[in-house]
Amino acid sequence: SDSEAFAFTKFDIKRAAGHKAASQGSVHLSPWQLESNEQRCTQLRTAADLLVEEMKEKTEKDYINKLREVFPEIDFLKVESAEASLIYRQTICALTSVYWLVGEQFEAFTRQQRPMENDEKLSESSWGKMLKLVESLGDQQLDVVMVCLVLRALSQIQKFREQLAPRARTSDEVLLQVVDQCPKVLPSYVRLRAGPQAVVRQCLAKDFDFSQFVHAENIPASLENVKEILRDHEARDCYTAVVFAEAAGSMGHVSQEGSLFMTEGSFTIWNAAIQAWRSQQDGDDIDVSDLYERMLEKRAEFCWRIQDGIPRSLSLGIDRAKLRLACMAKIADGKGYLDVERAFTELDSSERVTLAKYLNTDGIKEKPGFILCGCPAFLHCARANSQVGLAPAIKIMLRIYEESAKEFRGSSQAVITIQMGKLTGFARDFFGAVHFQDLQFSLERHHETEALVVPKVWIPVNDEQNLRDLGEKSKALAAGILNKQVNEENFRKEITRIFPELNYFDSASLVQRDQTVAAMLSVYWLLSDNHKAFIREQDRSDELSNQSWAWIQDWLTTSVKVSTPEVVDGMMVFMAIHALGKIKDFRSEFAQGCSAAMHDIALATVLSSRPQVVPSFKRLPQVYQQWILDSLSVDFQFSQFLQGENTPLALKMIKERMLKHGDDGIGFFCFRIFAQTCGKLGNKSLRGSVFMSEAQFTRFKPGLEALMELRTQDAVETYNNFVLMRGSKAMSRFASPEHQALSRLLMLSECYDAKAGHQVCEAFDKLKDEDPTKFGALTKWLISDSSRKGECSYLLLDAPVLLQNARANPEVGLLAALYMLVEVQKICSSDPLESNQVRAIVNLRAVAEWAKDAGARRGKFLQAQLTVRSSCQADTKIFSLEVDRPHPPAGALPEESLTNNEARPEQTRSCRPLGRTRTLLLVALVACWSLALCFMFSQSVSDKLLLGESRSLRIPVSILLVLAALALVVLLILHVVWQTDGYHQQDPESPNEIGPREPFLRFDAWGLNPRSLSRNGRHQYSRLHTEDDDTV
C-alpha cells in the first residue's frame, strides 16, 4: 500500500555546501524504496522476457540501454560515491558479458585484450569451452543469472547495507535479510515467479566465495555451504554463470570494451575450478573433500601439465601443499610452478612440514581450518616485486598461520578467516635494504571466526654488518652529490635502497611521503648547485632568481658549511625520518600519548628508546645522532617565529640545544628548516621545489638570517632585533612598552606596511582611551618574557587568525578582538603557573572561530563566555580556550557598538578628501600653464581656440591664464602647509583622523608611512601559508 511505502521511505541528510554547512542541510531520498505496484511488476516481467528472447538480435548498444529499463536496481548503483561508480561499471560489463556469450560474439568479448609477457589473448579453443557455460541455460535461467548479477552488485553498496541491513557482516547476509524482510525493495526479484525466486535465493544466500575456490584460497569445509546448490543442476549452472560473468566484468571500471580480465591465462585457471565444480552428478552424495581434490587435480592438469594429477599416496603431504600453494599464488604455467617449488625448498625441513600441515588442514577432519583471505593477491604481488620474491612471502605466510593457531587455540569452529588485505599493498610497493621476511605484524581478533593481520612496516634492524653497509652506501651517495657525480634519476633510485624508512608511509600518509622525498631532493639540488632543476616547476613570473640562488649557495658554503659526506649523510637521514612522527600507527605503537601536534617529540622518543626501528638513524655516528635529537627536542616552528606567535624563549632553547655543537649545530638546524620547507609542496610535484619561489624566499630569508645570528647574539637580543626589523615596516622603533606591545600586535595581525597597520594602531589607541587599565594589562601580557624575573612567556596560538577574522567581520572589528584578548589574559592569570613553569601556550582557535561567526544572527562577539582548560607539560603550561556562544534575541539584528571605523565603509567614505583637493589644484595649474604657452607661441592654436579673433584677444587671454596659474600655485602651497601643520591636531574622536596618533609614531601626510622610512619602502612580507614550518 502507499502508506507502507511511505513508512518504509529511506533517506539521509546532507550538509549544505560552503559556509552554510554548519547550519543548513537537505533531505535526500535514497533510490531504494518499496515497489508495491503489481502492474509495474507485470511490466518488468514482460520487458525481461522480451529482452532475453531478443538478446541475440539486439545490438550491443540497444542491449545496454534496455538493461536499465528491465532492471531498476541498476539506477540504485548510481549513488554519489567512487565505490558505487566502480561497481556500476563492473556490473554493466558483467551483464554485457552474458550478452557476448549468448550471442557468441568472440571478437567483441576479446577486442581490448592484448598479448602480454605472462599471458595471451583468449584463444578460440578456450572460447568454445566458455560457450558451454551458457548453452544449457534457457531463457528463464538467463533472466535469473542477470537478476543475480544486479542484486549481488547492489549488496556491495555501503549506503544500501547501512540503511537496509546494518547488522549484516557479509554481502550474502545483506541480501538474505533484504529478501526476507523487505523484498519489495528489489523489483527485479519481486517480479520473478516462485521457481526462479527460489533459484535466485539459492545463488545469493550462500556464504561462499567462488573466486576463493578457484585459487584454493578457501578450504574443503567452506564447500559445506553450497551442497544444496551442487545437488540441483539448475541452481548449479545458474550460479556458475553468475560467478563467471562477474569475473569477466571485474575490470569493467577500466574498460567496457570487451572483457579485459578473462584472458587465456585467467580462463585456464577458472576452467579448472569450473570443470571440477560441474563434474558433480545430480543426486550424488556430496563429498566436498573429494570435490576440492578434483579441483587441485584439474589445476595441475590444465596449468602445469601434470597429467597424472596428485598421487593419492601423497595427497595429504608435501606435494599437495605445494600444489595448493601454487594455486594460491595464481600460477598458470609450468614455469611458475617451478618457482613455487624453489621457494618452498628454501624453507628448512621443519618449516616445510609445518606449512604443509596448515595447508592440508581441511576444517572437517581437523579443526579449525584457516582461510588466509587475500593471500593470492599477496603472493602474486610478492612474486611480481623483484625486491620481495615468493620465498620471503611464504615465510610470512607461515608466521601468520602460526600466530593464528595460537590466537584460536582450542576453537571448535570449522573455518576461521584471517584477513590479509593490508599486506598486499605492502608487498606490491616494498623496496629497500632490509629483509622483507623480517616484517612485523599483529593479529587483531574481530570475531570468533575472523581476525585481521595488521602489518608493522617498520622493520627493526640490529645486524651491525647490514647497518655498516647502509652507512657506506649513503656516504658514497653523499660524496657523489658534493662532487656532482650523481644525476637525479640515480639519486632517486639510490635513496629508495639506502633509506628503508621511506617504506613506512602508508596509504594515509602518502602526502608526507612525497614531501619527505621532495625535501631529500631539495638537499640534492641545493648541494649539487642545480638551480635549473630546482625552479623548473615554478611560475616563470615568480621563480627563484639567480641572485637569491647565489645567496643560498654562499650561505651553504660559508655559514652552514655542509662540505663533508658525513654531514650530508646526517642531513639526508634527518630529511628521510623527520616526518615519521606524523604516521598515526607509528606514534601509537612506539610513542603512546603523543598527539599529531607532538610529532617531533614522538620521533625523538622513538629514536632514544627504539633506534633499531629507524635503521638510518641507528647507523649514524653518535655526534650526528645527537644533532638530530637536539633539533627535534626544540619546540620551535619557523612559521610561528616569522609571524610573532612565539617568544624569545624559543630562540633561547635553540641556542642552548644547538650551540653546544658549535656554529655547525646552528647551521645544521637552519638547513634542516630550509630543506624541509623547500619540499613542502612535494605532494604536488617532485620536479623541483614548487614552494620556494622568489616571493617565498624573500619572506623566508630574514628569519633565516635572524636564526644564524644566534651564533653571536643573545636569544632575547636576536628576537627583539627580528621583531623590531619586522615591526619597523610599520614602525620605526620601540618608543615605550606600549610601543613594543603594538609591534608584536602588528605582527600577529600580519601587517607589513603603515597602511595595513593603521587599523591596528587605531584600535590599540582607542582601547587606551576607553579603558587604560585593560590597555595596561594587554600591554604587559604581550611583552611578557620569562627571561625577566617573575614573568612568563606566552605563546599565542592562532592569534593571527583571531585578528584576521575580527577585522574581516564588520560586526566584530579589531577593537572587540583586543577586548577579548584582555579577557583571555584575565582568565589565564586566574590560573597561576607553578614555580618551575616559564612558558605558557594559549590556544585561541575557538575564539578565532567565534570572531568569524559572531554577528546579528549568532550573537554579539563580546557577550560570549570564555572557559579554559589547562594542562602541564614539564616547564610549560597549556591553556585551551572554549567559547560558550550567546543566544541572540529573536529577530534582533544588533549593531556592534565596538565595531571599528575600519569595518564601516560609510565612515571611511566620510573622511576629508585631502589628497583629492591637491590633485585637482595640480591639474588646474598644468592646464593654465599649457593654455598660456599655446596662446603665446602658437598662432594656429590661438586661431582655432579664439575663432579668428586671435589678433585682438591673444595677449590679454595669455596674461589672464598666467595670473590664474600663479594664483593656483599660491593656493597649492597654502593647502600643503595647512595640511602638514594641522594633521596631528585633529580631534581624537574625529572620524576624519587618518593614521595612528602619538605617542607612537609620526606619519607624514603624503603616504601614511613612518617618516624614518622612505616613502616607497613598502615591505613585501606576507604570511607563510602553512600550518607548521615542516608541514611534512
Side-chain angles (χ1 to χ4, degrees):
S1 65
D2 292 342
S3 59
E4 180 187 14
F6 182 79
F8 178 82
T9 301
K10 302 297 181 183
F11 63 89
D12 60 349
I13 298 176
K14 295 184 179 180
R15 288 179 180 267
H19 68 280
K20 297 181 180 179
S23 59
Q24 293 186 20
S26 56
V27 175
H28 289 251
L29 292 180
S30 301
W32 36 85
Q33 305 296 339
L34 287 186
E35 179 59 69
S36 56
N37 190 327
E38 292 294 337
Q39 184 178 359
R40 170 67 171 158
C41 291
T42 303
Q43 291 174 348
L44 290 175
R45 188 182 305 119
T46 303
D49 292 342
L50 190 62
L51 175 66
V52 174
E53 291 172 5
E54 299 178 352
M55 189 178 296
K56 291 185 179 181
E57 288 74 27
K58 286 186 177 295
T59 65
E60 183 176 319
K61 182 177 180 181
D62 290 341
Y63 171 79
I64 294 175
N65 290 336
K66 196 72 174 176
L67 288 174
R68 293 180 62 186
E69 178 184 332
V70 175
F71 303 101
E73 293 87 351
I74 290 179
D75 286 334
F76 296 0
L77 301 176
K78 289 192 172 183
V79 293
E80 298 176 1
S81 72
E83 170 206 37
S85 176
L86 182 144
I87 295 171
Y88 169 79
R89 294 178 62 82
Q90 291 174 340
T91 304
I92 294 296
C93 192
L95 290 166
T96 312
S97 296
V98 176
Y99 167 80
W100 291 323
L101 286 169
V102 172
E104 301 182 12
Q105 298 187 32
F106 174 69
E107 293 299 329
F109 190 88
T110 61
R111 57 191 160 188
Q112 285 292 320
Q113 294 182 11
R114 300 289 184 271
M116 295 181 290
E117 181 180 353
N118 298 320
D119 203 354
E120 297 177 355
K121 182 178 179 179
L122 185 73
S123 66
E124 292 195 31
S125 173
S126 295
W127 174 254
K129 297 175 183 176
M130 197 180 294
L131 293 179
K132 294 180 180 179
L133 294 175
V134 296
E135 66 181 9
S136 62
L137 298 178
D139 291 351
Q140 183 172 274
Q141 285 74 36
L142 285 173
D143 187 23
V144 167
V145 168
M146 290 191 287
V147 170
C148 289
L149 288 171
V150 173
L151 299 189
R152 282 166 66 97
L154 185 60
S155 68
Q156 299 176 53
I157 302 297
Q158 183 67 25
K159 186 177 176 182
F160 181 85
R161 300 173 68 159
E162 291 174 351
Q163 291 190 349
L164 298 182
R167 297 183 180 179
R169 294 176 54 246
T170 66
S171 298
D172 294 332
E173 289 182 11
V174 170
L175 290 174
L176 185 61
Q177 287 187 26
V178 173
V179 167
D180 286 343
Q181 298 173 9
C182 49
K184 291 181 180 180
V185 82
L186 305 173
S188 298
Y189 176 79
V190 173
R191 67 162 170 81
L192 293 174
R193 297 175 178 85
Q197 278 189 351
V199 176
V200 168
R201 185 182 176 85
Q202 279 187 292
C203 294
L204 296 180
K206 300 299 178 185
D207 185 13
F208 181 75
D209 188 336
F210 193 85
S211 65
Q212 289 186 343
F213 177 66
V214 168
H215 299 298
E217 186 177 0
N218 54 21
I219 58 178
S222 305
L223 295 166
E224 294 285 352
N225 295 327
V226 291
K227 279 187 174 182
E228 186 178 348
I229 292 178
L230 290 168
R231 290 191 182 96
D232 185 342
H233 78 277
E234 180 181 1
R236 183 183 63 210
D237 290 348
C238 288
Y239 182 79
T240 305
V242 169
V243 296
F244 186 82
E246 280 183 337
S250 60
M251 294 185 68
H253 61 286
V254 178
S255 173
Q256 296 184 359
E257 298 294 319
S259 173
L260 290 180
F261 174 81
M262 200 56 70
T263 58
E264 184 69 16
S266 297
F267 178 72
T268 301
I269 294 173
W270 274 75
N271 190 38
I274 290 172
Q275 292 300 318
W277 179 267
R278 301 185 72 181
S279 65
Q280 183 69 40
Q281 299 298 318
D282 292 348
D284 285 357
D285 185 26
I286 307 297
D287 186 342
V288 293
S289 296
D290 185 64
L291 174 59
Y292 197 89
E293 300 306 314
R294 284 202 302 273
M295 183 274 293
L296 293 178
E297 290 175 3
K298 293 291 184 182
R299 185 70 170 271
E301 177 184 349
F302 291 172
C303 298
W304 311 312
R305 304 297 184 260
I306 303 176
Q307 300 295 334
D308 296 332
I310 305 171
R312 288 294 171 177
S313 60
L314 300 175
S315 62
L316 296 180
I318 298 294
D319 286 349
R320 181 190 182 279
K322 287 190 293 186
L323 287 172
R324 186 181 173 207
L325 193 59
C327 292
M328 295 174 75
K330 299 184 178 181
I331 301 300
D333 54 27
K335 179 179 177 298
Y337 182 76
L338 294 177
D339 290 342
V340 173
E341 282 196 316
R342 281 192 292 270
F344 196 83
T345 55
E346 288 188 27
L347 302 174
D348 61 40
S349 58
S350 62
E351 288 176 330
R352 289 196 292 271
V353 171
T354 303
L355 180 59
K357 171 180 175 293
Y358 288 122
L359 288 170
N360 292 329
T361 300
D362 59 6
I364 299 174
K365 297 177 181 177
E366 294 181 84
K367 298 180 181 179
F370 295 104
I371 297 177
L372 301 188
C373 186
C375 189
F378 168 68
L379 294 176
H380 180 75
C381 290
R383 182 174 178 239
N385 188 343
S386 60
Q387 296 283 318
V388 181
L390 267 177
I394 291 174
K395 290 181 180 180
I396 289 180
M397 180 180 169
L398 174 58
R399 287 168 52 204
I400 292 173
Y401 270 129
E402 291 173 336
E403 289 298 318
S404 301
K406 292 178 183 178
E407 179 65 30
F408 292 94
R409 181 182 289 114
S411 174
S412 60
Q413 297 291 329
V415 179
I416 293 175
T417 301
I418 309 298
Q419 299 289 344
M420 291 179 56
K422 289 190 174 183
L423 281 174
T424 302
F426 185 63
R428 180 185 63 243
D429 301 330
F430 179 82
F431 56 87
V434 295
H435 301 300
F436 181 78
Q437 62 264 29
D438 293 333
L439 170 72
Q440 302 296 307
F441 63 86
S442 62
L443 203 64
E444 294 182 359
R445 186 168 179 168
H446 291 172
H447 191 264
E448 62 180 0
T449 61
E450 186 176 1
L452 173 67
V453 177
V454 180
K456 306 296 177 62
V457 293
W458 28 90
I459 301 175
V461 179
N462 291 302
D463 183 77
E464 292 296 332
Q465 184 59 47
N466 195 5
L467 293 171
R468 280 194 296 271
D469 291 343
L470 289 174
E472 291 301 322
K473 291 177 182 177
S474 185
K475 282 188 281 189
L477 178 63
I481 294 172
L482 292 173
N483 297 328
K484 302 179 182 178
Q485 296 175 343
V486 179
N487 62 39
E488 184 175 327
E489 181 180 359
N490 288 336
F491 175 81
R492 291 194 185 202
K493 291 180 180 178
E494 287 299 314
I495 61 174
T496 61
R497 298 187 180 100
I498 294 172
F499 300 97
E501 294 82 7
L502 295 179
N503 283 308
Y504 291 8
F505 298 96
D506 54 20
S507 58
S509 54
L510 293 180
V511 170
Q512 283 76 20
R513 175 181 169 176
D514 287 342
Q515 292 172 332
T516 295
V517 173
M520 299 179 75
L521 284 167
S522 296
V523 173
Y524 166 77
W525 294 318
L526 291 165
L527 296 182
S528 60
D529 194 12
N530 197 339
H531 181 216
K532 184 177 180 180
F534 190 87
I535 66 172
R536 59 190 160 185
E537 285 291 296
Q538 294 180 6
D539 190 304
R540 289 291 173 264
S541 64
D542 190 31
E543 64 185 20
L544 190 70
S545 66
N546 291 327
Q547 293 82 358
S548 295
W549 184 260
W551 185 93
I552 294 171
Q553 292 300 308
D554 180 68
W555 174 66
L556 291 174
T557 303
T558 61
S559 298
V560 179
K561 298 178 182 179
V562 183
S563 57
T564 66
E566 290 76 15
V567 176
V568 176
D569 181 31
M571 182 55 62
M572 293 293 292
V573 169
F574 203 172
M575 292 301 98
I577 70 174
H578 78 274
L580 298 183
K582 294 186 175 182
I583 302 175
K584 183 178 179 181
D585 290 343
F586 186 84
R587 288 197 317 273
S588 62
E589 181 166 354
F590 300 116
Q592 295 180 1
C594 290
S595 65
M598 302 168 63
H599 53 86
D600 279 352
I601 296 175
L603 178 58
T605 301
V606 177
L607 296 180
S608 300
S609 61
R610 300 284 295 276
Q612 65 271 20
V613 299
V614 189
S616 296
F617 175 83
K618 184 175 175 61
R619 65 170 174 76
L620 283 177
Q622 185 174 0
V623 60
Y624 299 113
Q625 287 185 349
Q626 197 60 47
W627 282 14
I628 293 175
L629 286 172
D630 286 341
S631 295
L632 291 172
S633 66
V634 176
D635 184 13
F636 178 80
Q637 293 189 14
F638 191 71
S639 62
Q640 292 181 349
F641 176 57
L642 290 183
Q643 295 159 194
E645 290 182 71
N646 51 24
T647 65
L649 182 63
L651 299 190
K652 185 178 180 181
M653 293 172 63
I654 295 174
K655 191 174 180 71
E656 289 177 352
R657 300 292 171 84
M658 301 308 301
L659 199 58
K660 64 184 179 183
H661 303 294
D663 290 350
D664 293 344
I666 296 291
F668 185 86
F669 182 83
C670 292
F671 188 35
R672 170 250 177 145
I673 292 174
F674 187 69
Q676 282 182 219
T677 309
C678 288
K680 176 181 176 343
L681 296 181
N683 57 308
K684 292 187 175 180
S685 175
L686 293 175
R687 288 176 48 82
S689 174
V690 180
F691 180 81
M692 195 54 70
S693 62
E694 181 67 16
Q696 291 291 357
F697 179 71
T698 301
R699 299 159 190 150
F700 199 93
K701 178 182 172 184
L704 208 58
E705 290 176 318
L707 290 183
M708 295 299 294
E709 291 299 321
L710 286 173
R711 294 177 299 179
T712 57
Q713 290 183 354
D714 177 75
V716 175
E717 181 182 4
T718 300
Y719 180 86
N720 287 340
N721 286 343
F722 177 69
V723 171
L724 183 60
M725 182 274 297
R726 283 280 279 105
S728 67
K729 303 304 177 180
M731 297 186 297
S732 62
R733 62 186 176 84
F734 292 143
S736 63
E738 292 87 348
H739 208 161
Q740 183 180 354
L742 179 58
S743 178
R744 187 181 182 193
L745 193 61
L746 286 165
M747 293 172 65
L748 290 169
S749 303
E750 299 184 317
C751 298
Y752 302 107
D753 53 31
K755 183 178 180 180
H758 169 67
Q759 298 174 357
V760 179
C761 293
E762 188 176 45
F764 196 67
D765 260 359
K766 196 168 184 180
L767 176 64
K768 181 180 181 180
D769 294 339
E770 292 182 358
D771 196 330
T773 302
K774 291 185 177 181
F775 174 86
L778 179 61
T779 298
K780 183 177 179 180
W781 198 47
L782 288 173
I783 66 173
S784 62
D785 181 14
S786 60
S787 63
R788 294 192 290 266
K789 186 175 181 180
E791 294 188 15
C792 169
S793 296
Y794 284 88
L795 196 158
L796 307 180
L797 288 181
D798 289 312
V801 182
L802 165 61
L803 295 170
Q804 181 182 0
N805 290 345
R807 179 162 49 187
N809 189 338
E811 298 191 75
V812 178
L814 284 172
L815 181 58
L818 297 185
Y819 273 104
M820 185 62 78
L821 283 176
V822 174
E823 291 302 313
V824 172
Q825 179 269 334
K826 181 179 179 181
I827 292 176
C828 294
S829 300
S830 65
D831 188 359
L833 276 65
E834 301 295 336
S835 59
N836 66 325
Q837 292 175 337
V838 296
R839 185 176 69 154
I841 298 176
V842 183
N843 190 334
L844 298 169
R845 172 57 65 98
V847 184
E849 293 176 352
W850 172 229
K852 180 180 179 181
D853 296 337
R857 295 186 178 182
R858 299 176 181 269
K860 293 184 179 181
F861 180 65
L862 292 179
Q863 289 180 345
Q865 298 297 316
L866 299 182
T867 56
V868 64
R869 291 183 293 105
S870 62
S871 59
C872 299
Q873 293 184 4
D875 63 345
T876 301
K877 190 159 190 173
I878 301 173
F879 295 96
S880 296
L881 274 299
E882 296 179 355
V883 178
D884 184 8
R885 302 188 178 191
H887 298 285
L893 293 174
E895 279 290 323
E896 278 291 340
S897 61
L898 295 172
T899 299
N900 293 305
N901 288 338
E902 87 281 355
R904 294 182 180 273
E906 68 275 16
Q907 291 183 5
T908 303
R909 288 195 295 269
S910 68
C911 294
R912 186 178 304 160
L914 299 176
R916 185 184 305 173
T917 303
R918 184 166 57 249
T919 301
L920 291 175
L921 290 173
L922 286 171
V923 171
L925 176 61
V926 172
C928 288
W929 276 117
S930 300
L931 288 172
L933 292 173
C934 288
F935 285 126
M936 289 180 184
F937 301 106
S938 176
Q939 181 65 44
S940 60
V941 173
S942 299
D943 289 341
K944 291 180 180 180
L945 293 176
L946 298 176
L947 303 176
E949 300 295 332
S950 62
R951 290 177 180 268
S952 59
L953 298 178
R954 182 178 175 186
I955 298 301
V957 170
S958 300
I959 294 173
L960 289 174
L961 288 171
V962 170
L963 292 174
L966 292 174
L968 287 170
V969 169
V970 173
L971 287 174
L972 184 60
I973 292 173
L974 292 174
H975 176 78
V976 171
V977 171
W978 170 79
Q979 181 184 2
T980 304
D981 291 340
Y983 180 72
H984 294 291
Q985 299 177 15
Q986 298 177 36
D987 180 69
E989 300 301 325
S990 171
N992 295 328
E993 179 179 357
I994 299 176
R997 301 184 299 281
E998 293 292 323
F1000 302 110
L1001 286 176
R1002 288 189 178 273
F1003 286 72
D1004 70 45
W1006 290 87
L1008 299 183
N1009 288 316
R1011 289 180 175 175
S1012 60
L1013 300 176
S1014 67
R1015 290 174 181 170
N1016 297 323
R1018 185 184 180 92
H1019 180 43
Q1020 298 300 318
Y1021 247 85
S1022 71
R1023 179 187 178 107
L1024 280 176
H1025 296 288
T1026 173
E1027 292 183 359
D1028 53 53
D1029 56 283
D1030 56 15
T1031 71
V1032 183

